[in-house]
Amino acid sequence: MKKIVFVLSSNYSGSHHFALMMGSHLSTAYLGETRRLKKSPKKACYICRDKPSCDLFAGIGPQNIASLYEQLYRRLPEGVVAVVDNSKKPGWAGQYLHLADQFDLRFVHLIRDPRALVRRWLAESPSASMGFRHRRKLAIAYPHRTWAAMSAPTWVVHAYRWLRQNQEISEFISKNRLAHRIVTYRDLALEPQQQLDNLMTWLGMEYQPGQLEYWKRDHHGTQKQDYFQSTEKSYFDLRWQADLDETVQTGVMEIAEIRRFLSKLGLYGLADGLTSDLPVG
C-alpha cells in the first residue's frame, strides 16, 4: 500500500529541512506544503515558479483538492511508494484521515525546543493587536492561567504558545490513534543519519545516504531558497542560547505544564535542546 507521510510541527521547527531529507529517497517524493494549493496554487512549487504551471501540481486547486493524493500518485513515477507532505497543521492532515483504507497514513511530530521558539517569536515584534490575540488564545486554552495570559511577560505567552501548538498535534495523533513517530530538532541536527535510518525502517524502506544531500534532487513543492544556496551549512540553530536571558531560558523549562508535556512524550530538555535519548549519568 502506498504511503502518505504527514509532517506535523510548529513553525520554525526545521520541517522543510526534515521533509526534504525524507523526500530524497529514491522511492519517496517531497511535496512541500500542499495546503497552499487550496489558496495559492501558483506559489506551491519552488522549481516551477517561473513556468505557466507546475509539472506535478498543474490543475490542482480548491476545486479538486479533496482528491489531491490520488491525483499526485497518478503523476509521480511508478517507483514512488511514499510522499512527504510538510503542511504541518493537524487540521490539514485531518481532512484526509478517511483515506486510511486507500493509503498507509503515517505521521511525524517534529518538535523543537521551546526556548528556540520563544526566541524566534520575541524577535518578530508583533503589533499590539497580534500580541493581544496571542494572550487571548492562551487564556482560552488554559483558563487557570487567565491572569498570567493578560499580565505575564511576553516570553511566558510565547512559551504557552509553543505548548498549545504542540499539544494540539499530540492530541490529534492520540485521539485518532495514528501511526506516528516523534523526532526532535536537536536529534535530527546532531544525528541525521541515525534518525533517518530509524524512520525509513519504520516506513519499510532502507535509508539511503543520498537523503542527506537533498539539494542534488529536483523537488516540487514549497521550499526555502536558503537551503539550496548554502547546502553545506549547519542547520543546528542555537541562537537562543545567546539571545535569551538565562533567567528566561530557565523560566521556560520550569513551567509546570511544559515539564509535564515533555515527560508525557518521553522527551528531555538538555542544554542544547530536546532529545528522546535518556541522558547518561
Side-chain angles (χ1 to χ4, degrees):
M1 183 180 288
K2 292 188 176 181
K3 300 174 174 63
I4 304 172
V5 181
F6 292 96
V7 180
L8 306 177
S9 73
S10 298
N11 289 335
Y12 313 119
S13 295
S15 61
H16 276 85
H17 186 208
F18 169 67
L20 281 165
M21 289 191 291
M22 287 289 290
S24 291
H25 190 281
L26 293 179
S27 296
T28 67
Y30 168 85
L31 301 179
E33 297 176 315
T34 60
R35 62 188 173 89
R36 295 197 181 190
L37 290 165
K38 193 169 184 178
K39 293 184 178 180
S40 305
K42 292 183 179 180
K43 298 181 179 180
C45 185
Y46 177 81
I47 63 173
C48 296
R49 61 194 181 282
D50 296 326
K51 297 181 180 180
S53 63
C54 172
D55 298 336
L56 180 61
F57 298 126
I60 301 177
Q63 73 283 356
N64 57 2
I65 199 75
S67 60
L68 169 66
Y69 302 103
E70 296 95 325
Q71 295 182 73
L72 293 179
Y73 263 118
R74 286 196 292 268
R75 301 177 184 189
L76 288 165
E78 189 174 331
V80 172
V81 297
V83 294
V84 183
D85 188 327
N86 184 39
S87 291
K88 296 194 285 288
K89 307 299 182 183
W92 174 260
Q95 299 177 86
Y96 297 98
L97 294 183
H98 68 281
L99 296 179
D101 292 336
Q102 184 177 352
F103 297 102
D104 180 2
L105 306 181
R106 302 294 182 99
F107 299 81
V108 177
H109 184 178
L110 178 63
I111 188 166
R112 191 174 182 184
D113 194 289
R115 292 166 291 189
L117 273 292
V118 167
R119 175 257 168 201
R120 180 63 176 78
W121 286 327
L122 285 174
E124 289 181 344
S125 300
S127 63
S129 60
M130 183 62 73
F132 176 77
R133 176 184 168 192
H134 291 312
R135 290 181 181 275
R136 183 172 179 273
K137 284 185 175 182
L138 192 163
I140 293 173
Y142 308 99
H144 64 293
R145 295 293 189 188
T146 299
W147 175 253
M150 295 298 112
S151 60
T154 305
W155 68 263
V156 174
V157 177
H158 288 318
Y160 276 97
R161 180 182 175 186
W162 174 92
L163 178 62
R164 176 175 54 80
Q165 291 183 3
N166 284 284
Q167 280 182 330
E168 180 183 359
I169 294 171
S170 183
E171 290 166 4
F172 167 74
I173 290 172
S174 177
K175 176 182 177 181
N176 294 290
R177 299 181 179 180
L178 303 174
H180 75 285
R181 288 290 186 273
I182 297 174
V183 178
T184 73
Y185 173 94
R186 173 198 178 273
D187 291 347
L188 184 66
L190 295 180
E191 304 169 341
Q193 181 173 334
Q194 178 180 329
Q195 296 298 315
L196 289 173
D197 190 9
N198 292 340
L199 288 167
M200 299 314 294
T201 299
W202 174 57
L203 293 177
M205 305 180 196
E206 291 187 5
Y207 161 76
Q208 295 177 346
Q211 290 181 255
L212 296 180
E213 299 179 324
Y214 55 84
W215 59 87
K216 292 185 177 180
R217 286 188 59 182
D218 286 334
H219 297 281
H220 289 283
T222 54
Q223 297 173 33
K224 292 189 175 180
Q225 189 174 3
D226 183 56
Y227 290 155
F228 292 85
Q229 292 178 332
S230 305
T231 53
E232 301 300 331
K233 69 179 289 188
S234 169
Y235 292 105
F236 193 20
D237 182 357
L238 292 174
R239 286 176 290 178
W240 57 269
Q241 292 181 331
D243 294 350
L244 279 186
D245 187 278
E246 288 188 12
T247 58
V248 173
Q249 294 182 36
T250 301
V252 169
M253 301 307 289
E254 288 183 346
I255 292 176
E257 288 92 340
I258 288 180
R259 292 172 66 88
R260 285 196 294 269
F261 178 64
L262 293 176
S263 177
K264 180 180 178 181
L265 296 186
L267 299 179
Y268 306 88
L270 303 181
D272 59 353
L274 300 180
T275 183
S276 60
D277 296 326
L278 181 64
V280 178

